[in-house]
């Protein structure tokens, strides 16, 4: 495995674990109410800006993955879409780069 693939994989794992630590901590302190978390994301203009920044990034990444999968016929790379929506761009993007950089058979 190339160095770049190992880095992508490490970033995908880090991007899955690190943000989840904070999400779980928040849920434990405030209850397991997803709508309360969404409200917290919009607590001020700065956090709302970050939410919209990430929302646009998720849409762009999803579109890119779909176009690339249609072109390259690498259906396994579609797993990066639910990873992006369920975990975040910090996991989905490096996971897709890891999958995309696999040697061509």
């Amino acid at each position: 495995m190339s160095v770049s693939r190992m880095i992508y994989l490490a970033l995908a794992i880090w991007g899955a674990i690190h943000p989840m630590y904070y999400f779980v901590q928040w849920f434990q302190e405030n209850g397991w109410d997803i709508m309360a978390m969404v409200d917290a994301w919009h607590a001020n203009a700065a956090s709302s800006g970050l939410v919209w920044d990430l929302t646009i990034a998720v849409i762009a990444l999803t579109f890119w993955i779909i176009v690339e999968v249609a072109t390259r016929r690498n259906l396994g790379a579609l797993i990066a879409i639910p990873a992006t929506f369920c975990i975040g761009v910090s996991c989905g993007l490096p996971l897709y780069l890891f999958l995309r950089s696999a040697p061509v058979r």
Side-chain angles (χ1 to χ4, degrees):
M1 186 181 314
S2 69
V3 173
S4 62
R5 287 198 81 219
M6 288 189 293
I7 291 171
Y8 292 145
L9 183 58
L11 288 171
I13 293 168
W14 183 23
I17 295 171
H18 199 135
M20 280 300 145
Y21 168 80
Y22 293 101
F23 291 149
V24 170
Q25 184 178 355
W26 188 91
F27 281 128
Q28 288 175 340
E29 292 172 5
N30 298 285
W32 294 84
D33 182 3
I34 191 72
M35 292 314 295
M37 179 176 252
V38 171
D39 290 340
W41 289 343
H42 294 283
N44 57 52
S47 61
S48 289
L50 287 172
V51 167
W52 281 109
D53 182 59
L54 289 172
T55 301
I56 294 165
V58 164
I59 293 167
L61 177 58
T62 301
F63 180 71
W64 180 43
I65 291 170
I66 291 169
V67 169
E68 286 274 310
V69 165
T71 303
R72 299 172 66 127
R73 303 285 187 233
N74 180 11
L75 296 178
L78 288 172
I79 194 69
I81 293 174
T84 300
F85 277 88
C86 295
I87 301 170
V89 177
S90 62
C91 175
L93 177 59
L95 176 61
Y96 179 69
L97 293 173
F98 170 76
L99 295 170
R100 187 181 188 276
S101 63
V104 178
R105 293 184 239 158

